[in-house]
Amino acid sequence: MKWGKVVAIFLIVALIAGAAFYAVEPLKNNLKLGLDLKGGVQVRLEAKGPATDRDMDQIIAVMDKRVNALGVTEPIIQKEGKNRIIIELPGVKDPEEAVRIIGKTAHLEFRTYDGTTVLEGKDLQEAVEAKDPQDGKAYVALKFKPEGTRKFAEITKQLVEQYPEKDGNKDPRRVIGIFLDNEMLQIPYVTEPIPNGEARITGYADLKEAHEIALLLRSGALPVPVEMVEKRTVGPTLGADSIIKSKNAGIYGIIAIMLFMLFYYRVPGLIANISLVLYSLLVLGILAGINATLTLPGIAGFLLSIGMCVDANIIIYERLKEELRNGKSLRAAIDAGFSRAFWTIFDANVTTLIAAGVLFYLGTGTIKGFAVTLSIGILCSMFTAITFTRFMLKHLADSRLVTNSKFYGA
């Protein structure tokens, strides 16, 4: 017996066991959970009418501002197809409030007293709340784009000339109403012509009120109207229940696989179980490292790749048993078994990787999460099955710790 090889094997096993023990809490704290596990809101928006890629990018930017205003951490806002946008807000405390603010998909319009629309949301560049340093009163500062500046200059000049103040009395028709989805937000009075496209709306009780108006104005600056076509709310309790059931399914499934491998393949099965622990550490560590979001389909992809990892080991071990039955030595049987099984494992995993790539390219949201988790799992399973398991079995054979072929399932 070569004790150096034996010590090396036990050191590797101890290292993996220690890493698994100490990695539980860091992985638990650093893995991001998706909407279906953490609870929250998913909203699907659709542009009404023709929308260019630039329009969709602008809508996403506007939605990003709204979501940031909610204070939600780790939101997901992405385009779906040509004219849809998916917004996921995991962990949001007040789903209805979030939906209400996101649902403000209205078209912003500026109208004169007689109802004529003179400016739209696309003409507005910025709306910011602030406090006047002299009197401390809150206001909203508006800034229009070049085309909006021209229109705003024309209409303010026209209103001032058409409805002059008489004896200090204001004419009620000298106003520009601000409407969001046909609901009037404000109707500020035009005090003078504004040629530079920068205006100030006053009359707010405090900065918070000014902030809410500024947010609505910014949110209303959509290039095309959008409609909420789907809303899905997942409660935190349901999410927690999903986590518990997924965790139990994962634990029971892994234990069943480990018992099967141990009793059916014996020593190689024990090596496969150790590589399975290493595989789990690698996959979860990579997911945490790349800041991936773990969803229920992602967990399904993880469990599926565990099965594929074991499949690779089974193909190798069946080859190993055949070589041992044919009378080869343990070391020669291991080399022949891995050599003959390699291309079978490689081809099977590559075809699955291609399918995962298609899912990632064409899918959205959780489908992409499934594809990412499955792809990482396949690559890790190939590493552990072909490299780590082979290394351990070769060291075991060289150590002469277990030489009876019956302990290798032959």
Side-chain angles (χ1 to χ4, degrees), residues 330-348:
L330 179 58
R331 180 58 190 264
I334 291 171
D335 287 337
F338 274 93
S339 178
R340 293 178 62 185
F342 174 79
W343 287 111
T344 305
I345 297 169
F346 182 82
D347 291 347

Side-chain angles (χ1 to χ4, degrees), residues 80-401:
E80 181 188 50
K82 291 185 177 179
N83 64 342
R84 285 190 173 187
I85 293 171
I86 292 179
I87 303 173
E88 292 186 353
L89 308 174
V92 65
K93 294 179 180 176
D94 189 349
E96 292 304 320
E97 175 68 6
V99 169
R100 188 185 69 78
I101 292 181
I102 290 174
K104 283 283 184 182
T105 55
H107 200 57
L108 183 67
E109 293 176 300
F110 295 76
R111 300 177 187 169
T112 55
Y113 180 79
D114 60 1
T116 303
T117 300
V118 291
L119 290 154
E120 294 180 300
K122 64 182 180 181
D123 297 314
L124 184 64
Q125 180 171 324
E126 188 59 281
V128 182
E129 75 279 8
K131 270 191 175 181
D132 192 314
Q134 294 183 345
D135 57 19
K137 293 183 178 178
Y139 67 90
V140 173
L142 302 180
K143 185 176 181 180
F144 291 93
K145 295 176 182 176
E147 180 64 17
T149 297
R150 184 187 63 77
K151 295 178 184 175
F152 195 59
E154 287 179 0
I155 190 61
T156 51
K157 181 182 177 184
Q158 178 185 330
L159 289 175
V160 170
E161 291 177 352
Q162 192 172 352
Y163 305 112
E165 295 181 358
K166 295 178 181 177
D167 302 326
N169 295 320
K170 296 181 179 179
D171 192 313
R173 295 169 295 181
R174 194 165 136 179
V175 294
I176 297 179
I178 303 174
F179 292 80
L180 197 61
D181 197 18
N182 291 322
E183 291 184 13
M184 190 178 69
L185 295 178
Q186 275 195 290
I187 185 163
Y189 182 79
V190 179
T191 57
E192 59 183 354
I194 303 175
N196 61 359
E198 296 182 5
R200 179 182 290 194
I201 305 175
T202 57
Y204 302 105
D206 51 31
L207 193 61
K208 182 181 177 184
E209 185 183 355
H211 168 74
E212 291 175 354
I213 293 296
L215 176 62
L216 289 174
L217 290 173
R218 292 197 298 270
S219 302
L222 294 176
V224 292
V226 295
E227 180 183 10
M228 186 182 296
V229 294
E230 183 184 353
K231 178 188 74 174
R232 186 163 66 94
T233 303
V234 180
T237 305
L238 183 59
D241 186 55
S242 299
I243 292 177
I244 293 171
K245 288 181 177 176
S246 300
K247 186 169 68 176
N248 290 338
I251 291 173
Y252 295 145
I254 290 174
I255 289 175
I257 290 172
M258 285 184 164
L259 289 175
F260 171 79
M261 294 300 291
L262 188 61
F263 285 108
Y264 196 77
Y265 291 101
R266 300 165 194 177
V267 172
L270 179 62
I271 300 294
N273 291 342
I274 296 169
S275 72
L276 202 57
V277 175
L278 176 63
Y279 160 82
S280 301
L281 282 174
L282 287 174
V283 173
L284 295 177
I286 290 173
L287 288 175
I290 64 174
N291 209 24
T293 300
L294 192 63
T295 61
L296 273 178
I299 292 176
F302 174 63
L303 296 177
L304 179 60
S305 61
I306 285 179
M308 295 186 69
C309 179
V310 175
D311 282 347
N313 283 295
I314 288 174
I315 292 171
I316 293 167
Y317 295 163
E318 287 299 325
R319 294 286 187 183
L320 172 62
K321 285 163 64 176
E322 286 180 13
E323 299 299 334
L324 287 173
R325 287 175 188 142
N326 289 334
K328 286 189 177 179
S329 67
L330 179 58
R331 180 58 190 264
I334 291 171
D335 287 337
F338 274 93
S339 178
R340 293 178 62 185
F342 174 79
W343 287 111
T344 305
I345 297 169
F346 182 82
D347 291 347
N349 283 297
V350 166
T351 53
T352 310
L353 271 177
I354 292 172
V358 173
L359 282 177
F360 182 82
Y361 182 74
L362 297 177
T364 58
T366 55
I367 301 299
K368 281 191 173 182
F370 172 80
V372 168
T373 310
L374 182 61
S375 301
I376 293 172
I378 290 170
L379 294 174
C380 290
S381 73
M382 288 182 70
F383 167 75
T384 54
I386 296 172
T387 304
F388 177 76
T389 305
R390 185 174 191 170
F391 172 82
M392 292 293 285
L393 280 175
K394 278 188 172 183
H395 265 61
L396 190 63
D398 293 341
S399 70
R400 298 182 181 280
L401 181 64

